[in-house]
Coordinates of all heavy atoms in Angstrom, one line a residue:
M32 N 161.7 280.9 80.5 CA 162.0 280.3 79.2 C 161.7 278.8 79.2 O 162.1 278.2 80.2 CB 163.4 280.5 78.7 CG 163.7 281.9 78.3 SD 165.4 281.9 77.7 CE 165.3 282.8 76.3
M33 N 161.2 278.3 78.2 CA 161.1 276.9 78.1 C 162.4 276.3 77.6 O 163.1 276.9 76.9 CB 159.9 276.5 77.1 CG 158.6 277.1 77.5 SD 158.0 276.4 79.1 CE 157.5 274.8 78.6
G34 N 162.6 275.0 78.0 CA 163.8 274.3 77.5 C 164.9 274.3 78.5 O 165.9 273.6 78.3
Y35 N 164.8 275.1 79.6 CA 165.8 275.0 80.6 C 165.3 274.1 81.7 O 164.2 274.3 82.2 CB 166.1 276.4 81.2 CG 166.9 277.3 80.2 CD1 166.4 278.3 79.5 CD2 168.3 277.0 80.0 CE1 167.1 279.1 78.6 CE2 169.0 277.7 79.1 CZ 168.4 278.8 78.4 OH 169.1 279.5 77.5
G36 N 166.2 273.3 82.2 CA 165.8 272.3 83.2 C 166.1 272.9 84.6 O 166.3 274.1 84.8
M37 N 166.1 272.1 85.5 CA 166.4 272.5 86.9 C 167.8 273.1 87.1 O 168.0 274.0 87.9 CB 166.3 271.3 87.8 CG 166.4 271.6 89.3 SD 166.0 270.1 90.2 CE 167.2 270.1 91.5
Y38 N 168.8 272.6 86.3 CA 170.1 273.1 86.4 C 170.5 274.0 85.3 O 171.6 274.3 85.0 CB 171.1 271.9 86.3 CG 170.9 270.9 87.4 CD1 170.3 269.7 87.2 CD2 171.2 271.2 88.7 CE1 170.1 268.8 88.2 CE2 171.0 270.3 89.8 CZ 170.5 269.1 89.5 OH 170.3 268.2 90.5
G39 N 169.5 274.6 84.6 CA 169.7 275.5 83.5 C 170.2 276.9 84.0 O 170.7 277.0 85.1
D40 N 169.9 277.9 83.2 CA 170.3 279.3 83.6 C 169.6 279.8 84.8 O 170.1 280.7 85.5 CB 170.1 280.2 82.4 CG 171.2 280.1 81.4 OD1 172.2 279.5 81.7 OD2 171.0 280.6 80.2
Y41 N 168.5 279.2 85.1 CA 167.7 279.7 86.3 C 167.8 278.7 87.4 O 167.0 278.9 88.4 CB 166.3 280.0 85.9 CG 166.2 281.0 84.8 CD1 165.9 280.6 83.5 CD2 166.5 282.3 85.0 CE1 165.8 281.5 82.5 CE2 166.5 283.3 84.0 CZ 166.1 282.8 82.7 OH 166.1 283.7 81.7
G42 N 168.6 277.8 87.4 CA 168.7 276.7 88.4 C 169.7 277.0 89.5 O 170.0 278.1 89.8
I43 N 170.2 275.9 90.0 CA 171.2 276.0 91.1 C 172.4 276.7 90.7 O 172.9 277.5 91.5 CB 171.5 274.5 91.6 CG1 170.3 273.9 92.2 CG2 172.7 274.6 92.6 CD1 170.5 272.5 92.5
F44 N 173.0 276.5 89.5 CA 174.3 277.1 89.2 C 174.2 278.5 88.6 O 175.2 279.0 88.1 CB 175.0 276.1 88.2 CG 175.4 274.9 88.8 CD1 174.8 273.7 88.5 CD2 176.4 274.8 89.8 CE1 175.2 272.5 89.0 CE2 176.8 273.6 90.4 CZ 176.2 272.5 90.0
G45 N 173.0 279.1 88.5 CA 172.9 280.4 88.0 C 173.1 280.5 86.5 O 172.6 279.8 85.8
G46 N 174.0 281.4 86.1 CA 174.2 281.6 84.7 C 175.5 281.0 84.1 O 176.2 281.6 83.4
L47 N 175.7 279.7 84.5 CA 176.9 279.1 84.1 C 176.8 278.4 82.7 O 177.8 278.0 82.1 CB 177.4 278.0 85.1 CG 177.8 278.5 86.4 CD1 178.1 277.4 87.4 CD2 179.0 279.4 86.3
G48 N 175.6 278.3 82.2 CA 175.4 277.9 80.8 C 175.8 276.5 80.5 O 175.4 275.5 81.0
G49 N 176.8 276.4 79.5 CA 177.3 275.1 79.0 C 178.0 274.2 80.1 O 178.0 273.0 79.9
F50 N 178.5 274.9 81.1 CA 179.2 274.1 82.1 C 178.3 273.1 82.8 O 178.6 272.0 83.1 CB 179.8 275.0 83.2 CG 180.4 274.3 84.4 CD1 181.5 273.6 84.3 CD2 179.7 274.3 85.6 CE1 182.0 273.0 85.4 CE2 180.1 273.6 86.7 CZ 181.4 273.0 86.6
T51 N 177.0 273.5 83.0 CA 176.1 272.7 83.7 C 175.8 271.4 82.9 O 175.6 270.3 83.4 CB 174.8 273.4 84.1 OG1 174.2 273.9 82.9 CG2 175.1 274.5 85.1
M52 N 175.7 271.6 81.6 CA 175.4 270.5 80.7 C 176.5 269.5 80.7 O 176.3 268.3 80.9 CB 175.1 270.9 79.3 CG 174.8 269.8 78.3 SD 174.3 270.4 76.7 CE 175.9 271.0 76.1
I53 N 177.8 270.0 80.7 CA 178.9 269.1 80.7 C 179.0 268.4 82.1 O 179.3 267.2 82.2 CB 180.2 269.9 80.4 CG1 180.2 270.4 79.0 CG2 181.5 269.1 80.7 CD1 181.3 271.4 78.7
F54 N 178.7 269.2 83.2 CA 178.8 268.6 84.5 C 177.7 267.5 84.7 O 178.0 266.5 85.2 CB 178.5 269.8 85.5 CG 178.6 269.3 86.9 CD1 179.8 269.0 87.5 CD2 177.5 269.3 87.7 CE1 179.9 268.6 88.8 CE2 177.5 268.9 89.0 CZ 178.7 268.6 89.6
N55 N 176.5 267.8 84.2 CA 175.5 266.7 84.2 C 175.8 265.5 83.4 O 175.6 264.4 83.9 CB 174.2 267.3 83.7 CG 173.5 268.3 84.7 OD1 173.8 268.2 85.9 ND2 172.7 269.2 84.2
L56 N 176.5 265.7 82.3 CA 176.9 264.5 81.5 C 178.0 263.7 82.2 O 178.0 262.5 82.2 CB 177.4 265.0 80.1 CG 176.3 265.4 79.1 CD1 177.0 265.9 77.9 CD2 175.5 264.2 78.8
L57 N 178.9 264.4 82.9 CA 179.9 263.7 83.6 C 179.3 262.9 84.8 O 179.8 261.8 85.1 CB 181.0 264.7 84.1 CG 181.9 265.3 83.1 CD1 182.8 266.4 83.7 CD2 182.7 264.2 82.4
I58 N 178.4 263.5 85.5 CA 177.7 262.8 86.6 C 177.0 261.6 86.0 O 177.0 260.5 86.6 CB 176.8 263.8 87.3 CG1 177.6 264.8 88.1 CG2 175.8 263.0 88.2 CD1 176.7 265.8 88.8
L59 N 176.3 261.7 84.9 CA 175.6 260.6 84.3 C 176.5 259.5 83.9 O 176.3 258.3 84.2 CB 174.8 261.1 83.1 CG 174.0 260.0 82.4 CD1 172.9 259.5 83.2 CD2 173.4 260.6 81.1
I60 N 177.7 259.8 83.3 CA 178.7 258.8 82.9 C 179.2 258.1 84.1 O 179.4 256.9 84.2 CB 179.8 259.5 82.1 CG1 179.2 259.9 80.7 CG2 181.0 258.5 81.9 CD1 180.2 260.8 79.9
A61 N 179.5 258.9 85.2 CA 180.0 258.3 86.4 C 179.0 257.3 87.0 O 179.4 256.2 87.5 CB 180.4 259.4 87.4
L62 N 177.8 257.7 87.1 CA 176.7 256.8 87.6 C 176.6 255.5 86.8 O 176.5 254.4 87.4 CB 175.4 257.5 87.7 CG 175.3 258.6 88.8 CD1 173.9 259.3 88.6 CD2 175.4 258.0 90.2
I63 N 176.6 255.6 85.5 CA 176.5 254.5 84.6 C 177.7 253.6 84.9 O 177.6 252.3 85.0 CB 176.4 254.9 83.2 CG1 175.0 255.5 82.9 CG2 176.6 253.7 82.2 CD1 174.9 256.1 81.5
W64 N 178.9 254.1 85.0 CA 180.1 253.4 85.2 C 180.1 252.6 86.6 O 180.4 251.5 86.7 CB 181.3 254.3 85.1 CG 182.6 253.5 85.4 CD1 183.3 252.7 84.6 CD2 183.4 253.6 86.7 NE1 184.4 252.2 85.3 CE2 184.5 252.8 86.5 CE3 183.2 254.3 87.8 CZ2 185.4 252.6 87.5 CZ3 184.1 254.1 88.8 CH2 185.2 253.3 88.7
L65 N 179.6 253.3 87.6 CA 179.5 252.7 88.9 C 178.5 251.6 88.9 O 178.8 250.5 89.5 CB 179.1 253.8 90.0 CG 180.2 254.7 90.4 CD1 179.6 255.8 91.3 CD2 181.3 254.0 91.1
V66 N 177.4 251.7 88.3 CA 176.4 250.7 88.3 C 176.9 249.5 87.5 O 176.7 248.3 87.9 CB 175.0 251.2 87.7 CG1 174.1 250.1 87.4 CG2 174.4 252.2 88.7
S67 N 177.5 249.7 86.4 CA 178.0 248.6 85.5 C 179.1 247.9 86.2 O 179.2 246.6 86.2 CB 178.4 249.1 84.2 OG 179.5 249.9 84.3
S68 N 180.0 248.6 86.9 CA 181.1 247.9 87.6 C 180.6 247.1 88.8 O 181.1 246.0 89.1 CB 182.1 248.9 88.1 OG 181.6 249.8 89.0
Y69 N 179.5 247.6 89.4 CA 178.9 246.9 90.6 C 178.4 245.5 90.1 O 178.6 244.5 90.7 CB 177.8 247.7 91.2 CG 177.1 246.9 92.3 CD1 177.6 246.6 93.5 CD2 175.8 246.5 92.0 CE1 176.9 245.9 94.4 CE2 175.0 245.8 92.9 CZ 175.6 245.5 94.1 OH 174.9 244.8 95.1
F70 N 177.6 245.6 89.0 CA 177.0 244.3 88.5 C 178.1 243.4 87.9 O 178.0 242.2 88.0 CB 175.9 244.6 87.5 CG 174.7 245.1 88.1 CD1 174.2 246.4 87.9 CD2 173.9 244.2 88.9 CE1 173.0 246.8 88.6 CE2 172.8 244.6 89.5 CZ 172.3 245.9 89.4
N71 N 179.1 243.9 87.3 CA 180.2 243.1 86.8 C 180.9 242.4 87.9 O 181.2 241.2 87.8 CB 181.3 244.0 86.0 CG 181.0 243.9 84.5 OD1 180.3 243.1 84.0 ND2 181.7 244.9 83.9
N72 N 181.2 243.1 89.0 CA 181.9 242.5 90.1 C 181.0 241.4 90.8 O 181.5 240.4 91.2 CB 182.3 243.5 91.2 CG 183.4 244.4 90.7 OD1 184.2 244.0 89.8 ND2 183.5 245.6 91.3
R73 N 179.7 241.6 90.8 CA 178.8 240.6 91.4 C 178.8 239.4 90.5 O 178.8 238.3 91.1 CB 177.4 241.2 91.5 CG 177.0 241.6 92.9 CD 175.6 242.1 93.0 NE 174.7 241.1 92.5 CZ 173.4 241.3 92.3 NH1 173.0 242.5 92.5 NH2 172.6 240.4 91.9
S74 N 178.7 239.5 89.2 CA 178.6 238.3 88.4 C 179.9 237.6 88.3 O 179.9 236.3 88.1 CB 178.2 238.8 87.0 OG 179.2 239.5 86.3
Y75 N 181.1 238.2 88.4 CA 182.3 237.5 88.3 C 182.8 237.0 89.6 O 183.7 236.2 89.7 CB 183.4 238.4 87.7 CG 183.2 238.6 86.2 CD1 183.0 239.9 85.6 CD2 183.3 237.5 85.3 CE1 182.9 240.1 84.3 CE2 183.1 237.7 84.0 CZ 182.9 238.9 83.5 OH 182.7 239.1 82.1
S76 N 182.3 237.5 90.7 CA 182.8 237.0 92.0 C 182.6 235.5 92.2 O 183.4 234.8 92.8 CB 182.1 237.8 93.1 OG 180.8 237.5 93.2
N77 N 181.4 235.0 91.7 CA 181.2 233.6 91.9 C 182.1 232.7 91.1 O 182.6 231.7 91.5 CB 179.7 233.2 91.5 CG 178.7 233.8 92.5 OD1 179.1 234.0 93.7 ND2 177.5 234.1 92.0
S78 N 182.4 233.1 89.9 CA 183.3 232.4 89.0 C 184.7 232.4 89.5 O 185.5 231.5 89.5 CB 183.2 232.8 87.6 OG 183.7 234.2 87.5
D79 N 185.1 233.6 90.1 CA 186.5 233.7 90.7 C 186.6 232.8 91.9 O 187.7 232.2 92.0 CB 186.7 235.2 91.1 CG 186.9 236.1 90.0 OD1 187.2 235.6 88.9 OD2 186.8 237.3 90.2
N80 N 185.6 232.7 92.7 CA 185.7 231.8 93.8 C 185.8 230.4 93.4 O 186.6 229.6 94.0 CB 184.4 232.0 94.7 CG 184.4 233.3 95.5 OD1 185.5 233.9 95.7 ND2 183.3 233.7 95.9
D81 N 185.1 230.0 92.3 CA 185.2 228.6 91.8 C 186.6 228.3 91.3 O 187.2 227.2 91.6 CB 184.2 228.4 90.7 CG 182.8 228.4 91.2 OD1 182.6 228.2 92.4 OD2 181.9 228.6 90.4
T82 N 187.2 229.2 90.6 CA 188.6 229.0 90.1 C 189.6 229.0 91.2 O 190.5 228.2 91.1 CB 189.0 230.1 89.0 OG1 188.8 231.4 89.6 CG2 188.1 230.0 87.8
R83 N 189.4 229.8 92.2 CA 190.3 229.8 93.3 C 190.2 228.5 94.1 O 191.2 227.9 94.5 CB 190.0 230.9 94.3 CG 190.4 232.3 93.8 CD 190.0 233.4 94.8 NE 190.2 234.7 94.2 CZ 189.8 235.8 94.7 NH1 189.1 235.7 95.8 NH2 190.0 236.9 94.1
L84 N 189.0 228.0 94.3 CA 188.8 226.7 95.0 C 189.5 225.6 94.2 O 190.1 224.7 94.8 CB 187.4 226.4 95.2 CG 186.7 227.2 96.3 CD1 185.2 226.9 96.4 CD2 187.4 226.9 97.6
S85 N 189.3 225.6 92.9 CA 189.9 224.5 92.1 C 191.4 224.6 92.1 O 192.1 223.6 92.2 CB 189.4 224.5 90.6 OG 189.8 225.7 90.0
R86 N 192.0 225.8 92.1 CA 193.4 225.9 92.2 C 193.9 225.4 93.6 O 195.0 224.8 93.7 CB 193.8 227.4 92.0 CG 193.7 227.9 90.6 CD 194.2 229.3 90.5 NE 193.9 229.8 89.2 CZ 193.9 231.1 88.9 NH1 194.1 232.0 89.8 NH2 193.6 231.5 87.7
I87 N 193.2 225.8 94.6 CA 193.6 225.3 96.0 C 193.6 223.8 96.1 O 194.4 223.2 96.6 CB 192.7 226.0 97.0 CG1 193.0 227.5 97.1 CG2 192.9 225.4 98.4 CD1 192.1 228.3 98.0
E88 N 192.5 223.2 95.5 CA 192.4 221.8 95.5 C 193.5 221.1 94.8 O 194.1 220.1 95.2 CB 191.1 221.3 94.9 CG 189.9 221.6 95.8 CD 188.5 221.4 95.1 OE1 188.5 221.1 93.9 OE2 187.5 221.4 95.8
Q89 N 193.9 221.7 93.6 CA 195.1 221.1 92.9 C 196.4 221.3 93.7 O 197.2 220.3 93.7 CB 195.2 221.9 91.5 CG 194.2 221.5 90.5 CD 194.3 222.3 89.3 OE1 195.1 223.3 89.2 NE2 193.5 222.0 88.3
Q90 N 196.6 222.4 94.4 CA 197.8 222.6 95.2 C 197.8 221.6 96.3 O 198.9 221.0 96.7 CB 197.8 224.0 95.7 CG 198.2 225.0 94.7 CD 198.1 226.4 95.2 OE1 197.7 226.7 96.3 NE2 198.6 227.4 94.4
V91 N 196.6 221.3 96.9 CA 196.6 220.4 98.1 C 196.9 219.0 97.5 O 197.7 218.2 98.2 CB 195.2 220.4 98.7 CG1 195.0 219.3 99.7 CG2 195.0 221.7 99.5
E92 N 196.4 218.6 96.4 CA 196.7 217.3 95.8 C 198.2 217.2 95.5 O 198.8 216.1 95.8 CB 195.9 217.0 94.6 CG 194.4 216.8 94.9 CD 193.6 216.7 93.6 OE1 194.2 216.7 92.5 OE2 192.4 216.6 93.7
N93 N 198.8 218.2 94.9 CA 200.2 218.2 94.6 C 201.0 218.1 95.9 O 202.0 217.3 96.0 CB 200.6 219.4 93.8 CG 200.1 219.4 92.4 OD1 199.7 218.3 91.9 ND2 199.9 220.6 91.8
N94 N 200.6 218.8 96.9 CA 201.4 218.7 98.2 C 201.3 217.4 98.8 O 202.2 216.9 99.4 CB 200.8 219.8 99.2 CG 201.2 221.2 98.8 OD1 202.1 221.4 98.0 ND2 200.5 222.2 99.3
L95 N 200.1 216.7 98.8 CA 199.9 215.4 99.3 C 200.8 214.4 98.6 O 201.4 213.5 99.2 CB 198.5 215.0 99.3 CG 197.5 215.6 100.3 CD1 196.1 215.2 100.0 CD2 198.0 215.2 101.7
E96 N 200.9 214.5 97.2 CA 201.7 213.6 96.5 C 203.2 213.8 96.8 O 203.9 212.8 97.0 CB 201.5 213.9 95.0 CG 200.1 213.4 94.5 CD 199.9 213.8 93.0 OE1 200.8 214.4 92.4 OE2 198.8 213.5 92.5
S97 N 203.6 215.0 96.9 CA 205.0 215.2 97.3 C 205.3 214.8 98.7 O 206.4 214.2 98.9 CB 205.4 216.7 97.1 OG 204.6 217.5 97.9
L98 N 204.4 214.9 99.6 CA 204.6 214.5 101.0 C 204.7 212.9 101.0 O 205.5 212.4 101.7 CB 203.5 214.9 101.9 CG 203.6 216.4 102.3 CD1 202.3 216.8 103.1 CD2 204.8 216.6 103.1
E99 N 203.9 212.3 100.2 CA 203.9 210.8 100.1 C 205.3 210.3 99.6 O 205.8 209.4 100.1 CB 202.8 210.3 99.3 CG 201.4 210.4 99.9 CD 200.3 210.0 99.0 OE1 200.6 209.6 97.8 OE2 199.1 210.0 99.4
K100 N 205.8 211.0 98.6 CA 207.1 210.7 98.0 C 208.2 210.9 99.0 O 209.1 210.0 99.2 CB 207.4 211.5 96.8 CG 206.5 211.2 95.6 CD 206.9 212.1 94.4 CE 206.0 211.8 93.2 NZ 206.2 212.8 92.1
I101 N 208.1 211.9 99.8 CA 209.1 212.2 100.8 C 209.0 211.1 101.9 O 210.1 210.6 102.4 CB 208.9 213.6 101.4 CG1 209.3 214.7 100.4 CG2 209.8 213.8 102.7 CD1 208.9 216.1 100.8
L102 N 207.8 210.8 102.3 CA 207.7 209.7 103.4 C 208.2 208.4 102.9 O 208.8 207.6 103.6 CB 206.2 209.6 103.8 CG 205.7 210.7 104.7 CD1 204.2 210.5 104.9 CD2 206.4 210.7 106.0
K103 N 208.0 208.0 101.6 CA 208.5 206.8 101.1 C 210.0 206.8 101.0 O 210.7 205.8 101.3 CB 208.0 206.6 99.7 CG 206.5 206.1 99.6 CD 206.1 205.9 98.2 CE 204.6 205.5 98.2 NZ 204.1 205.3 96.8
K104 N 210.6 207.9 100.7 CA 212.1 208.0 100.7 C 212.7 207.9 102.1 O 213.7 207.3 102.3 CB 212.6 209.3 100.1 CG 212.4 209.4 98.6 CD 212.9 210.7 98.0 CE 212.7 210.7 96.5 NZ 213.2 212.0 95.9
L105 N 212.0 208.4 103.1 CA 212.4 208.3 104.5 C 212.3 206.9 105.1 O 213.1 206.6 106.0 CB 211.6 209.3 105.4 CG 211.9 210.8 105.2 CD1 211.0 211.6 106.0 CD2 213.4 211.1 105.5
E106 N 211.4 206.1 104.6 CA 211.3 204.8 105.1 C 212.4 203.9 104.5 O 213.3 203.5 104.6 CB 209.9 204.2 104.6 CG 208.8 204.8 105.3 CD 207.5 204.2 104.8 OE1 207.5 203.4 103.8 OE2 206.4 204.5 105.3

Protein backbone atom coordinates (compact mmCIF):
# COMPACT_ATOMS: atom_id res chain seq x y z
CA MET A 1 0.00 0.00 0.00
CA MET A 2 1.13 3.47 -0.67
CA GLY A 3 1.16 5.98 2.16
CA TYR A 4 2.82 3.79 4.76
CA GLY A 5 6.34 4.72 5.67
CA MET A 6 9.12 2.68 7.14
CA TYR A 7 7.38 2.51 10.52
CA GLY A 8 3.89 1.90 9.13
CA ASP A 9 1.90 -1.31 9.25
CA TYR A 10 4.58 -3.17 7.32
CA GLY A 11 7.57 -1.67 9.10
CA ILE A 12 9.48 -2.43 12.26
CA PHE A 13 6.52 -2.33 14.64
CA GLY A 14 4.27 -4.60 12.61
CA GLY A 15 0.56 -3.87 12.94
CA LEU A 16 0.61 -1.31 15.74
CA GLY A 17 -1.01 1.37 13.60
CA GLY A 18 -1.58 4.70 15.40
CA PHE A 19 0.94 3.95 18.12
CA THR A 20 3.81 4.31 15.68
CA MET A 21 2.62 7.75 14.57
CA ILE A 22 2.40 8.94 18.19
CA PHE A 23 5.75 7.36 18.98
CA ASN A 24 7.38 9.09 15.99
CA LEU A 25 5.87 12.43 17.00
CA LEU A 26 7.20 12.03 20.54
CA ILE A 27 10.67 11.25 19.22
CA LEU A 28 10.53 14.29 16.92
CA ILE A 29 9.44 16.57 19.78
CA ALA A 30 12.22 15.20 22.00
CA LEU A 31 14.85 15.80 19.31
CA ILE A 32 13.65 19.35 18.69
CA TRP A 33 13.70 20.04 22.44
CA LEU A 34 17.23 18.64 22.81
CA VAL A 35 18.60 20.67 19.90
CA SER A 36 16.97 23.89 21.07
CA SER A 37 18.15 23.44 24.66
CA TYR A 38 21.68 22.77 23.43
CA PHE A 39 21.78 26.00 21.43
CA ASN A 40 20.13 27.95 24.27
CA ASN A 41 22.76 26.77 26.74
CA ARG A 42 25.55 27.65 24.31
CA SER A 43 24.28 31.17 23.71
CA TYR A 44 23.62 31.95 27.39
CA SER A 45 26.82 30.44 28.76
CA ASN A 46 28.92 33.43 27.64
CA SER A 47 26.59 35.99 29.19
CA ASP A 48 26.39 33.97 32.42
CA ASN A 49 30.17 33.97 32.66
CA ASP A 50 30.26 37.75 32.17
CA THR A 51 27.71 38.37 34.92
CA ARG A 52 29.52 36.00 37.26
CA LEU A 53 32.81 37.77 36.65
CA SER A 54 31.29 41.17 37.29
CA ARG A 55 29.71 39.91 40.54
CA ILE A 56 33.04 38.46 41.65
CA GLU A 57 34.81 41.73 40.85
CA GLN A 58 32.25 43.66 42.89
CA GLN A 59 32.67 41.29 45.82
CA VAL A 60 36.45 41.64 45.67
CA GLU A 61 36.18 45.44 45.65
CA ASN A 62 33.80 45.36 48.62
CA ASN A 63 36.11 43.02 50.51
CA LEU A 64 39.10 45.27 49.83
CA GLU A 65 37.20 48.31 51.09
CA SER A 66 36.13 46.53 54.26
CA LEU A 67 39.67 45.27 54.85
CA GLU A 68 41.02 48.81 54.46
CA LYS A 69 38.50 50.06 57.01
CA ILE A 70 39.48 47.32 59.46
CA LEU A 71 43.19 48.09 59.01
CA LYS A 72 42.58 51.80 59.65
CA LYS A 73 40.71 50.97 62.86
CA LEU A 74 43.55 48.73 64.02
CA GLU A 75 46.13 51.47 63.52
